[in-house]
């Protein structure tokens, strides 16, 4: 496997991945946050199928691929789970304070961290302002975390 990072002046950065089997993928990250996933054909390395991803879609794809994703916590028999919950374009809480969600009161689930594209905010307080594209790390029962995901998602 081989990876390389290529600066694209005025555009952003391209990340290339060549797999052990010879497959070739690229991710182009624009300065404005747009992302494009490119898949190159094995029979024609100049032919590329490109898919545009918005921040929410890029986060969802990363969580599907990432083998180190938080799956759960060993709680000695307690039924607790850990989930990543994206703050997407349909969320009524993008741009609002975390306290506005009343997450713990409404669901019993706790938001233990907020992941941003360039930073991690552990133990955010009620005055923490959520942003579009943030990912909440929530801990609670399956029912509580699912309820929190529905609230944050606008469901």
């Amino acid at each position: 496997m081989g990876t390389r990072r290529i600066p694209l002046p005025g555009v952003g950065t391209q990340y290339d991945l060549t797999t052990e089997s010879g497959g070739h993928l690229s991710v182009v990250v624009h300065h404005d946050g747009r992302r494009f996933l490119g898949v190159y054909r094995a029979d024609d390395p100049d032919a590329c199928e490109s898919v545009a991803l918005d921040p929410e879609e890029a986060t969802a794809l990363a969580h599907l691929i990432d083998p180190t994703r938080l799956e759960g916590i060993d709680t000695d028999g307690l039924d607790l789970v850990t989930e990543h919950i994206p703050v997407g374009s349909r969320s009524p809480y993008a741009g609002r304070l975390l306290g506005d969600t009343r997450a713990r009161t409404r669901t019993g689930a706790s938001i233990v961290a907020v992941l941003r594209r360039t930073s991690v905010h552990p133990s955010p307080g009620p005055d923490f302002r959520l942003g579009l594209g943030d990912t909440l790390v929530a801990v609670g029962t399956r029912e509580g975390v699912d309820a929190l995901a529905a609230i944050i998602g606008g469901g």
Side-chain angles (χ1 to χ4, degrees):
M1 180 184 84
T3 61
R4 66 183 180 157
R5 180 181 186 271
I6 305 163
L8 303 173
V11 175
T13 306
Q14 178 174 326
Y15 300 90
D16 285 343
L17 170 75
T18 303
T19 67
E20 295 278 340
S21 64
H24 181 189
L25 302 169
S26 287
V27 176
V28 176
V29 180
H30 288 250
H31 292 304
D32 65 5
R34 292 179 298 141
R35 285 166 166 68
F36 292 85
L37 174 65
V39 180
Y40 293 85
R41 290 182 27 197
D43 63 337
D44 183 359
D46 293 326
C48 178
E49 293 289 326
S50 181
V51 177
L53 302 171
D54 67 24
E56 186 177 346
E57 294 163 338
T59 298
L61 179 60
H63 289 273
L64 291 172
I65 293 172
D66 184 2
T68 61
R69 181 173 174 245
L70 296 173
E71 293 296 337
I73 297 174
D74 181 8
T75 57
D76 297 320
L78 297 177
D79 186 24
L80 292 180
V81 297
T82 302
E83 287 284 334
H84 287 183
I85 301 171
V87 179
S89 58
R90 294 187 180 137
S91 176
Y93 295 101
R96 293 179 56 191
L97 298 178
L98 181 59
D100 292 346
T101 67
R102 297 181 38 242
R104 190 168 186 148
T105 301
R106 293 168 72 186
T107 68
S110 296
I111 298 169
V112 298
V114 176
L115 310 176
R116 287 224 163 112
R117 188 165 42 122
T118 59
S119 58
V120 176
H121 301 273
S123 304
D127 58 342
F128 183 87
R129 188 164 304 277
L130 298 173
L132 182 63
D134 284 354
T135 300
L136 310 181
V137 180
V139 176
T141 63
R142 167 57 43 212
E143 295 78 21
V145 170
D146 287 348
L148 177 57
I151 289 167
I152 297 300

